[in-house]
Amino acid sequence: MSIDVNELRARLRRFSGKAVQRVTYNVIDLLGFMVRKLNRRQTVFLASLIGDFMHHVIRLRRSMVYRNLSLTFPDKSGEEIRRIARAMYRNVFATLLEVLRLPLIRNREDVAKLVDIEGDEAFREWHRSGKRGAVLVSAHYGNWELMAMAFGLMVNPITIIVKRLRNRQIDRKMNEYRTMRGNSVVYPKKSVREGLRLLQYGGVLAILGDQSDPDEANYGEFLGRQTTMFHGAAFFALRANVPMFMPICSSNGDGRYTIKVREVDTSDLSFSKADTALLAARYTRMIEDEIRRRPEEWFWLHNRWKRDGSRSAES
Protein backbone atom coordinates (compact mmCIF):
# COMPACT_ATOMS: atom_id res chain seq x y z
CA MET A 1 0.00 0.00 0.00
CA SER A 2 1.52 3.33 -1.06
CA ILE A 3 1.32 6.45 1.07
CA ASP A 4 0.76 9.87 -0.44
CA VAL A 5 3.27 11.91 1.55
CA ASN A 6 1.84 15.26 0.48
CA GLU A 7 -1.67 14.23 1.49
CA LEU A 8 -0.34 13.00 4.84
CA ARG A 9 1.43 16.32 5.43
CA ALA A 10 -1.73 18.23 4.55
CA ARG A 11 -3.77 16.18 7.02
CA LEU A 12 -1.19 16.74 9.74
CA ARG A 13 -1.25 20.49 9.10
CA ARG A 14 -5.05 20.55 9.29
CA PHE A 15 -5.01 18.52 12.48
CA SER A 16 -2.33 20.66 14.14
CA GLY A 17 -4.15 23.84 13.06
CA LYS A 18 -7.40 22.65 14.61
CA ALA A 19 -5.58 21.57 17.77
CA VAL A 20 -3.96 24.99 18.13
CA GLN A 21 -7.36 26.66 17.65
CA ARG A 22 -8.95 24.45 20.33
CA VAL A 23 -6.14 25.17 22.78
CA THR A 24 -6.34 28.91 22.06
CA TYR A 25 -10.10 28.91 22.62
CA ASN A 26 -9.74 26.96 25.89
CA VAL A 27 -7.06 29.36 27.16
CA ILE A 28 -9.21 32.41 26.38
CA ASP A 29 -12.29 30.74 27.87
CA LEU A 30 -10.35 29.99 31.08
CA LEU A 31 -8.99 33.54 31.14
CA GLY A 32 -12.55 34.84 30.86
CA PHE A 33 -13.67 32.72 33.80
CA MET A 34 -10.76 34.10 35.86
CA VAL A 35 -11.21 37.79 35.06
CA ARG A 36 -14.91 37.64 35.84
CA LYS A 37 -13.87 36.67 39.37
CA LEU A 38 -11.61 39.71 39.70
CA ASN A 39 -12.63 43.26 40.50
CA ARG A 40 -11.96 45.96 37.91
CA ARG A 41 -8.78 47.26 39.57
CA GLN A 42 -7.31 43.77 39.57
CA THR A 43 -8.37 43.32 35.95
CA VAL A 44 -6.60 46.53 34.89
CA PHE A 45 -3.45 45.43 36.73
CA LEU A 46 -3.56 42.02 35.03
CA ALA A 47 -4.02 43.66 31.62
CA SER A 48 -0.92 45.79 32.23
CA LEU A 49 1.11 42.70 33.12
CA ILE A 50 -0.05 40.81 30.02
CA GLY A 51 0.52 43.85 27.81
CA ASP A 52 4.07 44.35 29.09
CA PHE A 53 4.78 40.63 28.67
CA MET A 54 3.58 40.68 25.05
CA HIS A 55 5.53 43.87 24.38
CA HIS A 56 8.86 43.10 26.03
CA VAL A 57 9.07 39.29 26.11
CA ILE A 58 6.92 37.81 23.35
CA ARG A 59 7.46 40.94 21.21
CA LEU A 60 4.14 40.41 19.48
CA ARG A 61 4.46 42.15 16.10
CA ARG A 62 6.75 44.63 17.81
CA SER A 63 8.95 45.46 14.83
CA MET A 64 5.85 46.25 12.73
CA VAL A 65 4.33 48.35 15.52
CA TYR A 66 7.51 50.40 16.01
CA ARG A 67 8.00 50.83 12.27
CA ASN A 68 4.46 52.09 11.70
CA LEU A 69 4.59 54.41 14.68
CA SER A 70 7.93 55.84 13.52
CA LEU A 71 6.65 56.39 9.97
CA THR A 72 3.45 58.00 11.22
CA PHE A 73 5.19 60.22 13.78
CA PRO A 74 8.65 61.01 12.33
CA ASP A 75 9.09 63.93 14.73
CA LYS A 76 8.74 61.78 17.85
CA SER A 77 11.81 60.47 19.63
CA GLY A 78 12.58 56.81 20.13
CA GLU A 79 11.57 57.16 23.77
CA GLU A 80 8.21 58.65 22.82
CA ILE A 81 7.60 55.81 20.35
CA ARG A 82 8.39 53.25 23.07
CA ARG A 83 6.00 54.98 25.47
CA ILE A 84 3.18 54.96 22.93
CA ALA A 85 3.84 51.31 22.05
CA ARG A 86 3.88 50.21 25.69
CA ALA A 87 0.62 52.01 26.42
CA MET A 88 -0.92 50.54 23.26
CA TYR A 89 -0.09 46.96 24.27
CA ARG A 90 -1.60 47.58 27.68
CA ASN A 91 -4.72 49.10 26.13
CA VAL A 92 -5.18 46.19 23.71
CA PHE A 93 -5.15 43.64 26.52
CA ALA A 94 -7.30 45.83 28.75
CA THR A 95 -9.82 45.79 25.89
CA LEU A 96 -9.54 42.00 25.61
CA LEU A 97 -10.16 41.50 29.31
CA GLU A 98 -13.07 43.96 29.23
CA VAL A 99 -14.59 41.90 26.42
CA LEU A 100 -14.29 38.79 28.57
CA ARG A 101 -16.09 40.69 31.35
CA LEU A 102 -19.02 41.74 29.12
CA PRO A 103 -21.34 39.04 30.58
CA LEU A 104 -21.15 40.96 33.88
CA ILE A 105 -22.99 43.86 32.20
CA ARG A 106 -26.65 42.92 32.48
CA ASN A 107 -28.51 46.17 31.93
CA ARG A 108 -28.31 49.89 31.25
CA GLU A 109 -27.43 50.68 34.86
CA ASP A 110 -24.42 48.35 34.78
CA VAL A 111 -22.97 49.88 31.65
CA ALA A 112 -23.61 53.42 32.90
CA LYS A 113 -21.18 52.69 35.75
CA LEU A 114 -18.43 52.20 33.17
CA VAL A 115 -19.30 54.51 30.28
CA ASP A 116 -20.42 58.09 29.63
CA ILE A 117 -21.85 59.06 26.24
CA GLU A 118 -21.45 62.63 25.00
CA GLY A 119 -22.91 63.66 21.65
CA ASP A 120 -22.83 66.80 19.55
CA GLU A 121 -26.00 68.75 18.80
CA ALA A 122 -26.79 66.81 15.63
CA PHE A 123 -26.58 63.51 17.48
CA ARG A 124 -28.66 64.78 20.39
CA GLU A 125 -31.31 66.05 17.97
CA TRP A 126 -31.37 62.70 16.15
CA HIS A 127 -31.77 60.89 19.45
CA ARG A 128 -34.51 63.23 20.72
CA SER A 129 -36.46 63.07 17.49
CA GLY A 130 -36.99 59.34 17.76
CA LYS A 131 -35.49 58.75 14.33
CA ARG A 132 -33.59 55.51 14.36
CA GLY A 133 -32.07 55.08 10.90
CA ALA A 134 -28.32 55.87 10.99
CA VAL A 135 -24.88 54.58 10.11
CA LEU A 136 -22.21 54.53 12.81
CA VAL A 137 -18.62 54.52 11.62
CA SER A 138 -15.82 54.07 14.13
CA ALA A 139 -12.37 52.53 14.51
CA HIS A 140 -10.33 49.99 16.45
CA TYR A 141 -9.75 52.68 19.02
CA GLY A 142 -10.11 52.62 22.79
CA ASN A 143 -12.56 49.91 23.81
CA TRP A 144 -14.63 49.47 20.67
CA GLU A 145 -16.38 46.28 21.81
CA LEU A 146 -17.57 47.82 25.09
CA MET A 147 -18.65 50.88 23.10
CA ALA A 148 -20.95 48.75 20.93
CA MET A 149 -22.66 47.20 23.94
CA ALA A 150 -22.93 50.57 25.69
CA PHE A 151 -24.49 52.22 22.63
CA GLY A 152 -26.95 49.38 22.25
CA LEU A 153 -28.07 49.59 25.88
CA MET A 154 -27.96 53.37 26.37
CA VAL A 155 -29.02 54.71 22.97
CA ASN A 156 -30.38 52.16 20.50
CA PRO A 157 -29.70 48.53 19.57
CA ILE A 158 -27.30 48.27 16.63
CA THR A 159 -26.33 45.76 13.97
CA ILE A 160 -22.57 45.41 13.62
CA ILE A 161 -20.79 44.32 10.45
CA VAL A 162 -18.09 41.94 11.73
CA LYS A 163 -15.24 40.09 10.08
CA ARG A 164 -15.35 36.34 10.59
CA LEU A 165 -12.43 35.13 12.71
CA ARG A 166 -10.35 32.18 11.56
CA ASN A 167 -10.86 30.45 14.88
CA ARG A 168 -14.54 29.55 14.57
CA GLN A 169 -14.95 28.75 18.29
CA ILE A 170 -13.63 32.19 19.26
CA ASP A 171 -15.75 33.75 16.50
CA ARG A 172 -18.92 32.19 17.92
CA LYS A 173 -18.01 33.23 21.46
CA MET A 174 -17.27 36.82 20.40
CA ASN A 175 -20.59 37.07 18.59
CA GLU A 176 -22.33 35.61 21.63
CA TYR A 177 -20.87 38.45 23.73
CA ARG A 178 -21.71 41.05 21.08
CA THR A 179 -25.36 40.03 20.86
CA MET A 180 -26.18 39.13 24.47
CA ARG A 181 -27.77 42.52 25.27
CA GLY A 182 -29.82 43.23 22.17
CA ASN A 183 -27.32 44.02 19.42
CA SER A 184 -26.94 41.81 16.35
CA VAL A 185 -24.15 41.02 13.90
CA VAL A 186 -23.86 40.39 10.18
CA TYR A 187 -20.90 39.16 8.14
CA PRO A 188 -19.66 41.20 5.14
CA LYS A 189 -20.97 38.78 2.50
CA LYS A 190 -24.56 39.38 3.62
CA SER A 191 -24.11 42.96 4.77
CA VAL A 192 -25.28 44.84 1.65
CA ARG A 193 -28.72 43.25 1.44
CA GLU A 194 -29.31 43.02 5.19
CA GLY A 195 -27.74 46.41 5.94
CA LEU A 196 -29.89 48.30 3.44
CA ARG A 197 -33.01 46.51 4.63
CA LEU A 198 -32.14 47.38 8.23
CA LEU A 199 -31.65 51.06 7.40
CA GLN A 200 -34.87 51.13 5.37
CA TYR A 201 -36.79 50.07 8.47
CA GLY A 202 -35.07 52.55 10.78
CA GLY A 203 -32.27 50.40 12.19
CA VAL A 204 -28.74 51.46 13.10
CA LEU A 205 -25.80 49.91 11.26
CA ALA A 206 -22.28 50.01 12.75
CA ILE A 207 -19.01 49.60 10.83
CA LEU A 208 -15.34 49.95 11.76
CA GLY A 209 -13.89 52.08 8.98
CA ASP A 210 -10.15 51.82 9.65
CA GLN A 211 -9.45 48.32 8.34
CA SER A 212 -7.50 47.18 5.29
CA ASP A 213 -9.79 46.12 2.43
CA PRO A 214 -8.90 42.60 1.22
CA ASP A 215 -10.71 43.27 -2.06
CA GLU A 216 -8.45 46.29 -2.73
CA ALA A 217 -11.30 48.09 -4.45
CA ASN A 218 -10.28 51.62 -3.43
CA TYR A 219 -7.07 53.35 -2.41
CA GLY A 220 -6.21 56.54 -0.63
CA GLU A 221 -4.03 57.96 2.13
CA PHE A 222 -4.30 56.86 5.72
CA LEU A 223 -1.97 58.55 8.20
CA GLY A 224 0.18 59.77 5.36
CA ARG A 225 0.66 56.53 3.44
CA GLN A 226 -1.06 54.93 0.48
CA THR A 227 -3.29 51.99 1.36
CA THR A 228 -6.68 50.44 0.72
CA MET A 229 -9.75 52.35 1.85
CA PHE A 230 -13.10 50.97 2.98
CA HIS A 231 -16.01 52.83 1.38
CA GLY A 232 -18.69 50.61 2.94
CA ALA A 233 -19.94 53.03 5.59
CA ALA A 234 -20.19 55.83 3.03
CA PHE A 235 -22.07 53.56 0.61
CA PHE A 236 -24.68 52.62 3.22
CA ALA A 237 -25.26 56.17 4.50
CA LEU A 238 -25.67 57.72 1.05
CA ARG A 239 -27.57 54.83 -0.51
CA ALA A 240 -30.09 54.72 2.36
CA ASN A 241 -30.07 58.52 2.81
CA VAL A 242 -29.57 58.33 6.57
CA PRO A 243 -27.31 60.37 8.86
CA MET A 244 -23.83 59.21 9.75
CA PHE A 245 -22.28 59.52 13.19
CA MET A 246 -18.83 58.70 14.49
CA PRO A 247 -18.66 57.36 18.07
CA ILE A 248 -15.15 57.14 19.53
CA CYS A 249 -14.50 55.43 22.86
CA SER A 250 -11.58 56.70 24.94
CA SER A 251 -10.24 55.66 28.30
CA ASN A 252 -10.54 58.22 31.09
CA GLY A 253 -7.55 56.68 32.86
CA ASP A 254 -9.61 55.79 35.93
CA GLY A 255 -11.21 52.59 34.67
CA ARG A 256 -14.09 54.44 33.01
CA TYR A 257 -14.62 55.33 29.37
CA THR A 258 -16.17 58.24 27.47
CA ILE A 259 -17.86 57.78 24.11
CA LYS A 260 -17.95 61.00 22.11
CA VAL A 261 -20.36 60.98 19.17
CA ARG A 262 -20.04 63.45 16.29
CA GLU A 263 -21.96 63.81 13.08
CA VAL A 264 -20.15 63.17 9.81
CA ASP A 265 -21.71 65.75 7.53
CA THR A 266 -23.45 64.31 4.46
CA SER A 267 -25.71 67.28 3.68
CA ASP A 268 -23.76 68.28 0.55
CA LEU A 269 -23.52 64.74 -0.85
CA SER A 270 -25.68 62.40 -2.92
CA PHE A 271 -25.41 58.73 -3.78
CA SER A 272 -22.68 58.61 -6.42
CA LYS A 273 -19.25 57.03 -6.74
CA ALA A 274 -17.50 60.40 -6.39
CA ASP A 275 -19.47 61.42 -3.30
CA THR A 276 -19.04 57.98 -1.73
CA ALA A 277 -15.26 58.41 -2.04
CA LEU A 278 -15.52 61.96 -0.67
CA LEU A 279 -17.49 60.83 2.37
CA ALA A 280 -15.06 57.96 3.00
CA ALA A 281 -12.17 60.45 2.93
CA ARG A 282 -14.13 62.73 5.27
CA TYR A 283 -14.62 60.16 8.03
CA THR A 284 -11.11 58.77 7.49
CA ARG A 285 -9.69 62.23 8.28
CA MET A 286 -11.78 62.28 11.46
CA ILE A 287 -10.40 58.88 12.48
CA GLU A 288 -6.86 60.09 11.75
CA ASP A 289 -7.40 63.12 13.98
CA GLU A 290 -8.35 60.86 16.89
CA ILE A 291 -5.34 58.60 16.33
CA ARG A 292 -2.94 61.53 16.21
CA ARG A 293 -4.51 62.96 19.36
CA ARG A 294 -4.05 59.75 21.39
CA PRO A 295 -2.06 57.22 19.34
CA GLU A 296 -1.79 54.75 22.20
CA GLU A 297 -5.53 54.07 21.93
CA TRP A 298 -5.41 52.79 18.34
CA PHE A 299 -4.83 49.14 17.38
CA TRP A 300 -1.33 49.33 15.86
CA LEU A 301 -1.08 45.53 15.93
CA HIS A 302 -3.21 45.49 12.77
CA ASN A 303 -1.04 45.60 9.63
CA ARG A 304 -3.03 48.46 8.13
CA TRP A 305 -0.60 49.19 5.28
CA LYS A 306 -0.08 45.66 3.96
CA ARG A 307 -2.03 46.53 0.80
CA ASP A 308 -0.59 49.72 -0.71
CA GLY A 309 -1.41 49.13 -4.36
CA SER A 310 2.15 48.29 -5.38
CA ARG A 311 1.24 44.79 -6.53
CA SER A 312 -1.64 46.11 -8.60
CA ALA A 313 0.65 48.68 -10.17
CA GLU A 314 3.17 46.00 -11.09
CA SER A 315 0.62 43.64 -12.64
Side-chain angles (χ1 to χ4, degrees):
M1 183 177 68
S2 61
I3 298 176
D4 187 329
V5 176
N6 290 331
E7 176 63 22
L8 180 60
R9 287 175 177 170
R11 289 185 180 185
L12 287 173
R13 282 196 297 269
R14 287 195 295 269
F15 175 78
S16 61
K18 290 180 180 178
V20 169
Q21 289 192 0
R22 283 196 297 270
V23 170
T24 302
Y25 172 79
N26 289 333
V27 168
I28 292 178
D29 198 40
L30 176 61
L31 182 61
F33 175 80
M34 292 171 54
V35 299
R36 288 191 290 272
K37 300 296 182 182
L38 303 177
N39 60 41
R40 298 203 74 253
R41 179 175 295 182
Q42 292 168 331
T43 302
V44 171
F45 179 72
L46 178 60
S48 296
L49 290 180
I50 297 174
D52 288 347
F53 181 73
M54 290 296 179
H55 178 205
H56 298 296
V57 180
I58 301 299
R59 299 190 174 193
L60 179 65
R61 294 193 168 191
R62 196 169 86 163
S63 60
M64 182 194 72
V65 168
Y66 275 63
R67 177 177 180 274
N68 285 334
L69 281 169
S70 297
L71 289 172
T72 304
F73 303 103
D75 295 334
K76 293 189 181 296
S77 67
E79 181 57 36
E80 288 177 299
I81 296 298
R82 283 190 292 274
R83 180 193 62 77
I84 293 169
R86 183 188 187 200
M88 185 277 301
Y89 278 92
R90 289 184 168 192
N91 179 67
V92 165
F93 288 96
T95 297
L96 171 61
L97 298 193
E98 286 283 6
V99 168
L100 298 177
R101 288 173 60 86
L102 288 180
L104 299 178
I105 299 175
R106 298 177 178 84
N107 50 47
R108 190 182 191 280
E109 289 69 31
D110 286 345
V111 79
K113 295 175 183 176
L114 299 175
V115 175
D116 293 314
I117 297 181
E118 302 174 358
D120 63 12
E121 181 55 36
F123 173 73
R124 293 195 299 271
E125 175 57 30
W126 172 82
H127 193 205
R128 283 195 301 265
S129 70
K131 296 177 182 178
R132 286 296 178 260
V135 170
L136 305 180
V137 60
S138 191
H140 292 84
Y141 185 97
N143 196 326
W144 60 92
E145 296 285 359
L146 176 62
M147 175 175 68
M149 179 176 281
F151 198 98
L153 283 170
M154 300 175 75
V155 180
N156 195 76
I158 61 177
T159 295
I160 313 159
I161 298 179
V162 298
K163 181 180 178 181
R164 190 187 298 273
L165 302 177
R166 291 182 182 177
N167 189 317
R168 296 304 172 88
Q169 286 182 293
I170 294 178
D171 186 68
R172 285 192 294 271
K173 179 60 70 173
M174 282 296 300
N175 288 336
E176 178 186 320
Y177 288 162
R178 289 165 174 155
T179 60
M180 62 174 51
R181 301 294 178 252
N183 290 340
S184 56
V185 299
V186 61
Y187 291 118
K189 286 186 178 181
K190 296 182 178 180
S191 63
V192 174
R193 182 181 61 186
E194 295 189 18
L196 290 176
R197 182 187 301 147
L198 172 82
L199 294 170
Q200 178 185 358
Y201 288 99
V204 178
L205 187 67
I207 310 173
L208 295 181
D210 61 337
Q211 305 171 76
S212 176
D213 180 8
D215 295 330
E216 303 186 59
N218 302 286
Y219 287 88
E221 275 199 3
F222 184 69
L223 294 174
R225 282 186 284 162
Q226 184 80 359
T227 187
T228 56
M229 304 292 287
F230 258 128
H231 287 189
F235 165 83
F236 281 112
L238 296 180
R239 178 68 178 82
N241 192 27
V242 297
M244 173 181 282
F245 299 102
M246 178 175 290
I248 291 289
C249 179
S250 299
S251 170
N252 295 349
D254 59 358
R256 290 180 54 82
Y257 296 87
T258 296
I259 299 171
K260 294 187 177 180
V261 189
R262 292 182 293 160
E263 182 185 29
V264 184
D265 185 23
T266 61
S267 61
D268 58 333
L269 305 176
S270 60
F271 181 58
S272 66
K273 185 174 181 179
D275 280 2
T276 297
L278 182 59
L279 180 55
R282 192 171 289 178
Y283 60 67
T284 297
R285 299 292 87 80
M286 293 172 68
I287 291 172
E288 288 178 316
D289 289 344
E290 294 295 337
I291 294 171
R292 292 185 185 281
R293 183 176 64 87
R294 294 181 67 176
E296 67 276 7
E297 298 249 25
W298 192 57
F299 190 69
W300 293 92
L301 287 168
H302 171 55
N303 190 3
R304 181 61 180 86
W305 292 272
K306 62 184 174 183
R307 300 180 180 94
D308 60 4
S310 56
R311 291 182 182 177
S312 300
E314 293 170 0
S315 59

